[in-house]
Amino acid sequence: MDWNNIIEGIISGVSATLISTIIIFVFKKIVGNKSKKEPNEIEKASLSGSVLNNPFLISLFITSFVVVLTFFSMIYQWQLFNYVYLIVADVGLGFVTYWIYNNQCPKCNAIFKKKLINKETLKEEKRPYHYRDETIYYYNDGETIKDRKFQGKEKIKMELWRTEKEFYECQACGHKWDKIFERNLDKDNRPKPNKVRTRFNPPNNLGY
């Protein structure tokens, strides 16, 4: 490792730290203020208090830090921290951050303490789903799409939607909250496209 690598690492680390800190600050200001203005909104992860005591903000900081490092890795062509591996880490950290945001206690920020205590159906209703008959043409490998075509006029299929409400309790502090969401009960029954496998070879520029 020469001085150029050391300087690149220092610049990248400092930049990633500063950018991640700014992201946390802006996120707390924008999302935090929005939640205060809408008290009837479904409770989400708390953004108040110290970052060090908030698993979601810690995860968001780490994710932002790694994303910035990924950018520098692509610029400097690092071998030790290859950007391909960092991109995989970005995706994984993104899922973890999203999970924490939706599952940590809105009051005490505890994770792995969310317990479903009850749920109820608020309503069920029919909603229209608009579609047209579709045919997908594949190359002879059966995987690469060659073309898509739609036939006929637009059709309407009525689908059953259910609005549900789930009630949760934090096993750490006893805080209770709820979440309302919609579920499409007929989503798996939507009309499937007609698939046709042609005799044509895939284009060479796709690696075949």
Side-chain angles (χ1 to χ4, degrees):
M1 179 178 292
D2 55 24
W3 280 105
N4 287 333
N5 297 129
I6 295 175
I7 294 174
E8 290 175 1
I10 293 175
I11 294 175
S12 303
V14 172
S15 300
T17 302
L18 290 176
I19 294 175
S20 300
T21 302
I22 293 173
I23 290 175
I24 295 297
F25 176 79
V26 173
F27 196 90
K28 288 187 66 175
K29 285 294 182 180
I30 296 178
V31 180
N33 291 338
K34 182 179 179 182
S35 61
K36 292 178 182 178
K37 294 178 181 178
E38 301 177 8
N40 295 325
E41 190 178 9
I42 297 173
E43 287 189 89
K44 293 291 186 180
S46 174
L47 301 180
S48 60
S50 172
V51 174
L52 298 178
N53 295 325
N54 193 314
F56 166 69
L57 293 179
I58 293 175
S59 182
L60 180 61
F61 180 88
I62 295 174
T63 302
S64 303
F65 187 89
V66 177
V67 169
V68 176
L69 286 186
T70 303
F71 172 75
F72 282 107
S73 176
M74 297 175 68
I75 293 178
Y76 295 127
Q77 295 295 312
W78 290 340
Q79 298 298 322
L80 181 60
F81 297 102
N82 188 279
Y83 71 89
V84 175
Y85 301 111
L86 289 176
I87 290 176
V88 175
D90 294 336
V91 175
L93 288 170
F95 277 112
V96 171
T97 303
Y98 179 78
W99 182 89
I100 293 176
Y101 182 71
N102 284 283
N103 287 278
Q104 78 176 38
C105 175
K107 184 178 181 180
C108 71
N109 297 325
I111 56 177
F112 306 114
K113 296 297 183 179
K114 176 182 176 182
K115 180 181 179 181
L116 177 65
I117 57 177
N118 193 20
K119 61 180 178 180
E120 63 181 41
T121 299
L122 300 181
K123 66 177 180 179
E124 289 186 351
E125 61 181 351
K126 291 282 188 176
R127 297 181 186 177
Y129 169 66
H130 300 263
Y131 71 98
R132 293 174 61 192
D133 293 330
E134 179 185 9
T135 300
I136 302 178
Y137 296 90
Y138 291 87
Y139 287 100
N140 58 11
D141 63 353
E143 297 179 356
T144 308
I145 296 178
K146 182 179 183 295
D147 195 10
R148 292 176 181 266
K149 290 186 178 181
F150 295 90
Q151 299 88 22
K153 297 181 179 180
E154 183 179 81
K155 299 180 180 180
I156 298 178
K157 180 180 182 295
M158 300 305 294
E159 297 180 333
L160 181 62
W161 285 75
R162 176 184 295 166
T163 303
E164 300 178 348
K165 188 174 186 178
E166 293 185 343
F167 300 86
Y168 305 97
E169 181 179 5
C170 176
Q171 294 180 300
C173 69
H175 178 67
K176 296 181 179 181
W177 72 100
D178 57 69
K179 177 182 179 181
I180 298 176
F181 60 93
E182 296 181 326
R183 189 191 308 276
N184 184 352
L185 302 181
D186 290 325
K187 185 176 181 179
D188 294 336
N189 296 324
R190 287 182 173 179
K192 302 295 190 296
N194 181 36
K195 299 180 180 180
V196 177
R197 186 170 181 172
T198 67
R199 59 183 176 82
F200 299 100
N201 295 322
N204 293 329
N205 59 4
L206 293 181
Y208 294 93

